[in-house]
Amino acid sequence: ITAALKPYLCRAFQQRSRELAASSHLLADALARQAWRLSEPAPSCYAGLTGLHGLVGNDNSWAVLQEQQLAIGSSFVTSAFVETSANSTCLRKDGFNLPLNSYGRIVHHLQDTDVVHFVSEPTDNDGFHSLIPTCLNEHELEYDLPAPATITLRSISDSWLTDDGTMMRRRVFTVGVTYMVA
């Protein structure tokens, strides 16, 4: 449900607008309840940086990852609710294979984009550090990140080997996350 609404929810959040406030609060509350229930961190998850439903298109704060002199350890805050996938079918050597629900069926669309790799960790005194499972079935392994969240760059690689042995020829930005929930 958030795929089509993400840019609007982000803009309303950034502008502190009343528009979509009820929807934003409902989504944030649902994710907060799930965050408190986490017994272990999410697995490695991925999203496309640009392209259809890319992170930059939903919240321009992600564009900082494209800066040439970005230092490891740099942080920024995203105002977007972020959807990611832990499904290895999303990773192709030439980009991110975006999963989309088409009439109840998951179809993949290859995006010519760099990839963001989300690494989750256990909750600590600084906050929550794990993506939240929102759709786990035989077709998709979706994990989401509530807004606002702090994103910290851990590494940048020009090519890399995925967990299933796929050699990626796209840049990957490995990031950690921190957020607070009530």
Side-chain angles (χ1 to χ4, degrees):
I1 190 165
T2 63
L5 293 176
K6 280 188 291 188
Y8 303 106
L9 290 170
C10 178
R11 190 169 31 257
F13 182 85
Q14 288 172 334
Q15 296 171 354
R16 298 175 189 246
S17 168
R18 292 178 188 246
E19 180 183 351
L20 298 176
S23 298
S24 296
H25 287 292
L26 182 64
L27 181 57
D29 288 346
L31 290 173
R33 282 193 301 277
Q34 286 298 102
W36 282 110
R37 290 185 185 131
L38 290 175
S39 59
E40 62 184 41
S44 288
C45 294
Y46 304 89
L49 184 60
T50 58
L52 182 64
H53 299 298
L55 297 170
V56 172
N58 293 316
D59 180 2
N60 200 47
S61 68
W62 287 93
V64 71
L65 293 179
Q66 298 170 313
E67 294 178 7
Q68 294 295 337
Q69 302 301 321
L70 187 63
I72 303 303
S74 297
S75 294
F76 64 94
V77 175
T78 182
S79 300
F81 292 95
V82 173
E83 291 180 41
T84 70
S85 181
N87 193 330
S88 62
T89 60
C90 292
L91 301 174
R92 293 292 174 256
K93 65 182 179 182
D94 295 320
F96 183 72
N97 211 17
L98 177 69
L100 294 174
N101 188 325
S102 177
Y103 302 104
R105 227 178 88 235
I106 299 296
V107 293
H108 290 86
H109 298 274
L110 185 62
Q111 302 295 299
D112 182 19
T113 180
D114 292 331
V115 176
V116 178
H117 172 207
F118 293 83
V119 176
S120 293
E121 294 182 345
T123 300
D124 62 21
N125 291 335
D126 293 327
F128 291 87
H129 306 286
S130 179
L131 299 176
I132 301 166
T134 53
C135 181
L136 305 179
N137 60 44
E138 68 274 12
H139 304 292
E140 179 56 297
L141 301 171
E142 184 178 309
Y143 290 80
D144 292 1
L145 178 66
T150 300
I151 309 301
T152 303
L153 181 63
R154 293 187 174 179
S155 68
I156 303 172
S157 299
D158 288 327
S159 64
W160 51 290
L161 197 61
T162 65
D163 293 340
D164 73 349
T166 301
M167 176 56 79
M168 298 289 292
R169 295 188 188 113
R170 297 302 307 230
R171 273 192 312 177
V172 62
F173 301 93
T174 300
V175 301
V177 303
T178 302
Y179 59 93
M180 304 300 285
V181 296

